[in-house]
Amino acid sequence: QVQLVESGGGSVQAGGSLRLSCIVSGATSSPHCMGWFRQAPGKGREAVATITSGSGRTIYHDSVKGRFTISQGSAKNTVTLQMNTLKPEDTAMYYCAAAVGGGWYGRCRTETDLRYWGQGTQVTVSS
């Protein structure tokens, strides 16, 4: 059974940094694609950053470009999100997601492209 476990959330003041990590277990092959999504109270879930394993292509939400960096470990079953210059509007529950195994159709952009999800880790940025 594929499982994703996130770590690294917490509380920080505006301008600070946090590093989120996620590890995939139970998969028989490396993920095709991994990503971080977030959902703030009263809002829908949005893609923060995604990375396609084979090409290394990354996609970022406009609001985090230049501040956040997504990367994968050499084994491709881990993904991290380095978040710098955090803002109060970055406050949200952050979820790790992965596309693993068959059925992936090659896109790594939205939540419907990734089948497996973690439980989430809270990030709170105070002003």
Side-chain angles (χ1 to χ4, degrees):
Q1 182 178 356
V2 177
Q3 292 186 320
L4 282 69
V5 178
E6 304 106 332
S7 61
S11 297
V12 65
Q13 289 191 326
S17 298
L18 284 173
R19 184 179 178 91
L20 304 183
S21 297
C22 172
I23 183 165
V24 179
S25 63
T28 57
S29 60
S30 298
H32 307 292
C33 156
M34 297 190 73
W36 289 95
F37 296 74
R38 67 187 179 187
Q39 186 167 20
K43 296 187 177 181
R45 190 156 56 186
E46 64 182 10
V48 176
T50 61
I51 184 166
T52 302
S53 299
S55 65
R57 183 190 183 203
T58 57
I59 300 175
Y60 292 93
H61 191 281
D62 284 345
S63 68
V64 307
K65 287 180 180 177
R67 301 189 296 123
F68 291 10
T69 303
I70 187 170
S71 60
Q72 275 185 298
S74 58
K76 307 298 183 185
N77 67 333
T78 61
V79 66
T80 61
L81 184 68
Q82 179 65 43
M83 305 186 293
N84 298 328
T85 319
L86 282 160
K87 304 176 180 180
E89 50 264 43
D90 294 319
T91 295
M93 184 70 78
Y94 283 70
Y95 298 91
C96 174
V100 180
W104 184 60
Y105 45 83
R107 196 175 74 169
C108 187
R109 180 183 293 270
T110 69
E111 61 181 293
T112 58
D113 301 328
L114 296 93
R115 178 178 177 184
Y116 296 96
W117 292 77
Q119 294 299 307
T121 186
Q122 178 68 36
V123 171
T124 302
V125 185
S126 58
S127 57

